[in-house]
Amino acid sequence: MDSTPKSPTTKSPAPRFDLIGLVVSDLAASLAFYRRLGLEFPEGAESLPHVEAALPGGLRIAFDTEETVRSFHPDWHSPAGAGRIGLAFHCGTPAGVDAVYGEVTGAGYASELKPFDAPWGQRYAVVLDPDGNGVDLFAPLGSAAE
């Protein structure tokens, strides 16, 4: 039996959700898409290997090129099939959902679901970012300033 005195256990602080990271195949295309949805990136960010933007509430979103990820994880492979993450943007009003959807798809980005009044009480649509990730556009039905 070990009779060595035990040191008091120091409890680690709880992790805090801080960043959403996406690996992208074409950084310039991804930044153009997300700028259309209101995210702000530094001028010239298209030439960087890693880019971040501040989100409301203190979160951040980051984009890394596939080459950047492979630089520290050489066995990494791009997932096959549809995107594996969903992001959602509150568009203020049901009319806002339709307007943002029209702007994004009018700029040539793909639609996954056209705007509709969902049974859960939202105007809802889904567009696809350049890597095929679903990006939800939503607003509560009956919200003011329609």
Side-chain angles (χ1 to χ4, degrees):
M1 180 183 262
D2 184 6
S3 61
T4 309
K6 303 287 183 204
S7 61
T9 309
T10 305
K11 185 174 180 176
S12 299
R16 179 179 58 87
F17 185 51
D18 182 75
L19 182 123
I20 299 163
L22 299 176
V23 179
V24 300
S25 57
D26 182 336
L27 184 60
S30 293
L31 295 182
F33 176 85
Y34 286 100
R35 280 180 173 132
R36 286 189 174 279
L37 294 172
L39 297 184
E40 295 180 12
F41 301 96
E43 187 106 8
E46 294 78 5
S47 64
L48 301 173
H50 172 89
V51 180
E52 293 184 16
L55 299 174
L59 286 176
R60 296 173 296 142
I61 189 166
F63 299 86
D64 288 295
T65 64
E66 292 176 350
E67 295 79 23
T68 298
V69 173
R70 283 191 195 102
S71 75
F72 61 84
H73 187 351
D75 294 331
W76 181 86
H77 296 285
S78 177
R84 296 176 183 236
I85 187 170
L87 302 174
F89 286 77
H90 192 305
C91 297
T93 66
V97 171
D98 294 350
V100 172
Y101 176 87
E103 179 187 335
V104 171
T105 58
Y109 297 101
S111 167
E112 187 170 56
L113 289 174
K114 292 180 180 179
F116 68 99
D117 292 344
W120 56 85
Q122 292 178 337
R123 183 74 172 162
Y124 186 82
V126 181
V127 293
L128 299 176
D129 78 3
D131 288 296
N133 295 305
V135 178
D136 302 356
L137 308 173
F138 74 95
L141 288 173
S143 47
E146 291 180 46

